[in-house]
Amino acid sequence: MPAPSLPTARVIQVDTRGAIILEEESPETRDSRGIYFPNHIEPVSHVAVDVGGSLAKVVYFTRSPEPPASPSIAATRGSSSTPEPFTPRSNSPSAELPTSSSPSSSNIRHNGALTPLVLDSQNYAEGFTLSTEMLRDTMLRRTSQHFPGGSLNFERFETDNIHECVEFIQSLIERSAKVNDVSIEDMRKSVKIMATGGGAHKFYELFRDTLCVEVRREDEMECLIEGLKFITLIPDEAYYFSDELIQSVSHPLPSASAQPSLLPPTGSNGILERPLERPGPNPPKFAVTFESNPTFQLPCLLVNIGSGVSIIKVDEDGQFERVSGTSLGGGTLWGLLSLLTPATSFDEMLKLSEQGDNATVDMLVGDIYGQDYSKLGLKSTMIASSFGKVFKKGKGKGTFSPEDISKSLLYAVSNNIGQIAYMNAEKYNLERIYFGGCFIRGHAATITTLSYAIRFWSKGTKRALFLRHEGFLGSIGAWIKNIGPESS
């Protein structure tokens, strides 16, 4: 009697009750912390890969004999300042997990193992056909040695080194076969690569032939929206810079006992009575507010900042459309800073910018007028021309420090994206603006610039929202879309 075929992939129903974002291991991984699902029991053996022009992002679900490291409980909520570099943290009291020693600071972590979707060996050999319920019970018995729940894990690799991504997934499959005591052949039959992004097509054969697994290609925009819908349901995932501090900066309270309202004061026409200061090189640092009881609210605008920028309008019914974008994105910043500074990675470039002074590179309003231009509401410290001082006679490239160049270019790109995002939100009358993509990286100057630009141009009526896993929306969406066989 021929052996029964392995079960086809199903839509994953993730039990997000009690979901907790785990503690970071280093500043370099602050946007790729795992998410622990204490109540999820369904076996998952597929790996999602979102391969963009600059980075490849990997998402996979594992169980392990040991619980993950305890979540961070260090609070920034309610703080009047933002740490440098900014790392979004929550003080949610739900963190009661046992602690364990953190792994090394290596960027590549090996957390647990995939759970193979193979039939019980005895039933498989005897040719039994299992019902869905029987299969589920069998899988629960096979994984009974593991602790309840599991972790959604996140990794990223430079696309130029895509072979490192493939090698990581290969080692994950081999380790999972060993941990679950199944053959490598059965493990490969269970694993599927859910690929999205441009690299899903460019590197399709590489993944399929090297890993010897099924590779399914998913639409990039669909995955972004599915990822956004899922991740915004995780407590303390979405956050924003609070209006309370905007209030205190723009409208000082007459007495310490007075309580600020959520939004700055507005007149009968809804316009701010006293406008916020225009975006500039030193916007105010806001307190961080997390959405601890999240609900995905539509409609919204998603501004996905990768190598370039895509701006996607999501309607109330979940329908979406790419309505705008710009070629000046993370790849622009990375590319130009590679030419202009000695930094060799994006994180090094961000670190340089934290130590820089853009006023040595940018031409400011004060450089032109010698003072504020009050009639137009322009302070002397406002940027009149990005890199405007570079062309001046008698100055060469060596005159400007890598730190100052990095800060100037970061502001130029961020301010441009912020204004384009606002104009699209205004055009389509959308109040919620989510920013995603690996360009942000939880970086203080970037978040502050985008946040303040949206608040300023909208006169306090719109808000920039950020995500702690901002760079993984596409891969999260591909992971959720564990669908059945591809249609022809």
Side-chain angles (χ1 to χ4, degrees):
M1 179 182 295
S5 60
L6 293 173
T8 58
R10 297 167 294 168
V11 175
I12 294 298
Q13 302 296 328
V14 181
D15 191 338
T16 60
R17 292 175 302 162
I20 301 170
I21 300 176
L22 302 176
E23 184 178 6
E24 67 184 85
E25 296 173 10
S26 71
E28 287 71 29
T29 62
R30 59 179 175 252
D31 65 338
S32 54
R33 287 161 285 193
I35 302 176
Y36 179 55
F37 298 107
N39 296 299
H40 184 73
I41 59 175
E42 185 173 358
V44 182
S45 63
H46 63 282
V47 178
V49 184
D50 177 10
V51 186
S54 302
L55 295 171
K57 289 78 68 176
V58 179
V59 171
Y60 61 101
F61 182 84
T62 60
R63 287 191 171 93
S64 172
E66 297 295 331
S70 63
S72 168
I73 58 174
T76 54
R77 183 184 300 158
S79 169
S80 61
S81 63
T82 302
E84 289 280 352
F86 170 67
T87 300
R89 291 177 178 265
S90 164
N91 64 351
S92 176
S94 59
E96 298 293 337
L97 297 176
T99 59
S100 63
S101 58
S102 298
S104 67
S105 59
S106 171
N107 287 339
I108 306 305
R109 306 180 297 271
H110 297 284
N111 298 327
L114 305 172
T115 303
L117 294 174
V118 296
L119 301 178
D120 179 82
S121 57
Q122 180 179 356
N123 291 331
Y124 188 93
E126 294 175 2
F128 291 164
T129 301
L130 300 182
S131 67
T132 301
E133 292 75 16
M134 292 175 64
L135 176 61
R136 184 180 180 86
D137 292 341
T138 298
M139 288 308 305
L140 289 178
R141 288 197 300 272
R142 289 179 63 88
T143 59
S144 61
Q145 73 271 24
H146 300 311
F147 69 96
S151 297
L152 195 60
N153 304 282
F154 304 85
E155 301 291 348
R156 63 171 178 255
F157 304 83
E158 291 186 13
T159 303
D160 284 346
N161 300 323
I162 193 66
H163 65 279
E164 294 181 0
C165 176
V166 175
E167 290 171 1
F168 173 80
I169 298 174
Q170 178 77 1
S171 67
L172 176 63
I173 295 172
E174 294 172 353
R175 187 175 71 257
S176 299
K178 183 177 181 180
V179 168
N180 289 281
D181 194 25
V182 300
S183 68
I184 188 65
E185 290 77 16
D186 278 341
M187 195 71 223
R188 285 172 175 160
K189 289 177 182 177
S190 295
V191 173
K192 291 178 176 62
I193 303 297
M194 313 298 286
T196 188
H201 304 275
K202 183 176 181 179
F203 300 111
Y204 174 80
E205 290 81 7
L206 174 65
F207 282 103
R208 183 195 61 190
D209 298 341
T210 304
L211 300 176
C212 301
V213 299
E214 180 182 350
V215 180
R216 301 187 181 188
R217 290 169 284 195
E218 297 296 328
D219 180 76
E220 182 176 3
M221 293 300 162
E222 287 183 8
C223 288
L224 281 173
I225 302 306
E226 289 300 315
L228 178 67
K229 289 162 62 177
F230 175 78
I231 203 67
T232 50
L233 295 178
I234 305 301
D236 297 325
E237 170 69 32
Y239 64 94
Y240 57 90
F241 282 2
S242 69
D243 297 313
E244 287 88 341
L245 199 61
I246 297 180
Q247 166 88 351
S248 66
V249 170
S250 301
H251 315 285
L253 299 174
S255 66
S257 60
Q259 294 297 317
S261 61
L262 182 62
L263 291 171
T266 59
S268 58
N269 60 356
I271 304 300
L272 292 178
E273 294 175 351
R274 296 169 59 189
L276 302 175
E277 295 179 5
R278 296 178 68 88
N282 295 298
K285 295 180 179 179
F286 310 136
V288 181
T289 300
F290 292 90
E291 297 193 337
S292 298
N293 299 297
T295 56
F296 183 63
Q297 300 180 36
L298 296 177
C300 69
L301 195 73
L302 171 61
V303 182
N304 194 60
I305 313 172
S307 299
V309 181
S310 287
I311 299 180
I312 306 165
K313 175 175 69 74
V314 188
D315 297 330
E316 290 182 0
D317 59 0
Q319 296 296 311
F320 63 89
E321 177 186 3
R322 186 184 187 275
V323 294
S324 185
T326 173
S327 62
L328 304 181
T332 307
L333 182 68
W334 195 342
L336 288 175
L337 290 183
S338 294
L339 292 173
L340 299 173
T341 75
T344 59
S345 72
F346 196 67
D347 288 309
E348 285 184 26
M349 296 170 191
L350 292 179
K351 186 172 292 187
L352 284 175
S353 71
E354 292 166 8
Q355 304 163 10
D357 178 8
N358 70 297
T360 65
V361 178
D362 295 337
M363 183 177 293
L364 308 181
V365 169
D367 295 322
I368 300 174
Y369 294 97
Q371 59 185 0
D372 296 348
Y373 192 169
S374 302
K375 188 175 182 179
L376 294 182
L378 299 175
K379 279 196 165 186
S380 62
T381 55
M382 297 297 107
I383 299 173
S385 174
S386 296
F387 280 73
K389 291 179 180 175
V390 174
F391 74 90
K392 288 190 173 182
K393 294 180 180 180
K395 287 195 174 185
K397 177 181 175 182
T399 306
F400 305 97
S401 73
E403 292 81 3
D404 297 345
I405 291 172
S406 299
K407 191 68 164 264
S408 173
L409 192 57
L410 179 67
Y411 279 138
V413 173
S414 298
N415 277 320
N416 181 61
I417 294 171
Q419 187 162 19
I420 293 174
Y422 158 72
M423 289 190 292
N424 279 276
E426 184 71 13
K427 178 179 179 180
Y428 297 105
N429 194 29
L430 299 171
E431 294 184 3
R432 293 177 70 86
I433 307 172
Y434 287 98
F435 286 89
C438 283
F439 170 78
I440 300 170
R441 301 279 183 94
H443 188 252
T446 306
I447 296 171
T448 305
T449 301
L450 292 172
S451 294
Y452 195 73
I454 295 298
R455 299 304 281 162
F456 170 79
W457 294 112
S458 70
K459 297 181 172 64
T461 63
K462 303 184 190 300
R463 169 175 288 143
L465 293 155
F466 300 88
L467 304 164
R468 296 168 80 179
H469 294 88
E470 64 235 337
F472 292 87
L473 295 183
S475 48
I476 292 171
W479 184 77
I480 288 295
K481 288 170 62 68
N482 183 26
I483 59 175
E486 288 182 314
S487 57
S488 57

